[in-house]
Amino acid sequence: MGFRWDFAYEILPQMLLATLNTIIAAGVGYAIALIVGLFFLLGQRTPSKIINGINREIVEFIRSTPLLIQLFFVYFVLPQFGITLSAWLCGMITIGLHFGTYLSEVYRGALEGVSKTQWEACRALNFSTIYTYRRIVLPQAFPIAIPGMGNYLVGIFKDTPLLSTIGVAELFHAATAVGGYNYRYLEPYTMVGIIFLILSVPAAMWVRRLEARVNLAQGKIKQ
Amino acid sequence: MSYFTFLAEHGSTLLLGTVTTIKVLICSMILYVIISMIFGLMRLSKNLVIQGIATVYIEFFRGTSLLVQLFWVYYVLPFFGLSLEAFVAGVVALGMNFGAYGAEIVRAGILAVPKGQWEAAHALNFSPSKRIKRIIIPQIFPIILPPAANLTVELLKATALVALVTVVDLTFEAKQINSITWLSAQCFGTALLIYYIMARFALVPFLRWLEVLAARKVGREKA
């Protein structure tokens, strides 16, 4: 039983359509994660020790438990409290929360990457905190954060197949459905792998290029 | 039903699943460490063919999703006459996927060993294999262990995916109990807690201990 090209060709349109869903899922999940990350960052940087501690525990908890069970948790438990969300919405919320914790670390690292003397100079010039963030710190922190943010975009993209377990009709879900219908898994799963490679390898290379450029701009020359 | 009755009734099942999860974790950990050592070294080979093989391997496994690889190993390999047991398929997929990430860490670690060490080993007329084995490798552990620790926590989380290829681990049991009792909050909540405890109070302290040990071995006491 070899690879049947005619079958692969037959299911190609279906797979490409599902790929679109995967890309949308990754994009929306990423957008939510970017915002959630900001909230976690805020919790980390508030002066209150109690909020800091709670924030840290939540982040640790989300980071050290599997995304898969978090998906199940959100999908199956929320209805018990009267909140019924579609699979899509559950998936997006969970991915946003999960990767938001990672992104908050990226943001934190970037902010700490801005040298302390910048803050002192702003204090000396009597800039307000908001002004310091807006005009001095954030423009310097943003380039540092870009590679990390890019990495997690690729990471989210590669974790979208998990959404198929709660019934989101993305690429992997389509492959399983097609495979089950025709009782041939070789072609659908292989095609999923190839589509992922085609999309994520260039993305990863682009992120690496960005990283090199940021390092160069930062004066950290790599050999 | 109170939470304690739930635990009394299903706790033992969840614990049995936890044992399987730990087994999967240990087996795939061993496999991924071996693979990352081999491919990390191959990646630095001067022989272009060996280097090319390693690069393709790493890009392939990092470019596609773990879930896709897992399903491919479990559902597609039988088409080629290679049927693996679910447990073996899970361990192989996890080990190969994380081996690709680990290889990059090993590669970066070897490159981070100061050049003077290579030159000194050369000057003392050590053979190439001895240079790597006795001088370079012992020094990379303090460098690679912190990122490897992060990767290993990721591995623990990723073991949840083997439930989807019918390995009866913690996730599988939680799902099973959920479908019988519909006590979603209790069973998925408990599973999340068990994963959290495993990561936070067993795996991470163990990895920190290894880091301290490695630092001491090369004469760098950790503060």
Side-chain angles (χ1 to χ4, degrees), chain B residues 90-103:
Chain B
V91 167
V92 166
L94 283 171
M96 291 184 83
N97 181 279
F98 279 78
Y101 287 92

Side-chain angles (χ1 to χ4, degrees), chain A residues 51-67:
Chain A
I51 295 179
N52 286 165
I54 294 170
N55 187 70
R56 199 174 48 241
E57 285 308 314
I58 294 174
V59 167
E60 273 300 315
F61 187 82
I62 296 178
R63 283 182 58 137
S64 50
T65 48
L67 179 61

Side-chain angles (χ1 to χ4, degrees), chain B residues 78-162:
Chain B
F79 276 102
F80 299 109
L82 184 63
S83 296
L84 295 176
E85 214 181 303
F87 183 89
V88 180
V91 167
V92 166
L94 283 171
M96 291 184 83
N97 181 279
F98 279 78
Y101 287 92
E104 284 291 287
I105 294 177
V106 170
R107 178 180 146 264
I110 292 174
L111 287 178
V113 172
K115 249 198 164 142
Q117 298 286 332
W118 290 90
E119 286 161 6
H122 213 97
L124 290 168
N125 199 20
F126 281 13
S127 68
S129 69
K130 211 171 178 188
R131 221 182 301 160
I132 286 279
K133 219 163 52 193
R134 308 301 294 267
I135 309 295
I136 305 303
I137 297 285
Q139 293 191 67
I140 66 171
F141 288 108
I143 307 169
I144 65 171
L145 272 175
N150 280 338
L151 192 63
T152 310
V153 175
E154 292 293 318
L155 176 64
L156 170 63
K157 285 160 55 181
T159 56
L161 295 192
V162 298

Side-chain angles (χ1 to χ4, degrees), chain A residues 60-97:
Chain A
E60 273 300 315
F61 187 82
I62 296 178
R63 283 182 58 137
S64 50
T65 48
L67 179 61
L68 182 63
I69 305 192
Q70 289 170 5
L71 276 174
F72 289 153
F73 193 86
V74 171
Y75 188 62
F76 289 112
V77 175
L78 284 187
Q80 293 190 342
F81 295 99
I83 310 166
T84 314
L85 301 174
S86 70
W88 264 94
L89 206 53
C90 281
M92 297 297 88
I93 290 172
T94 318
I95 283 193
L97 267 179

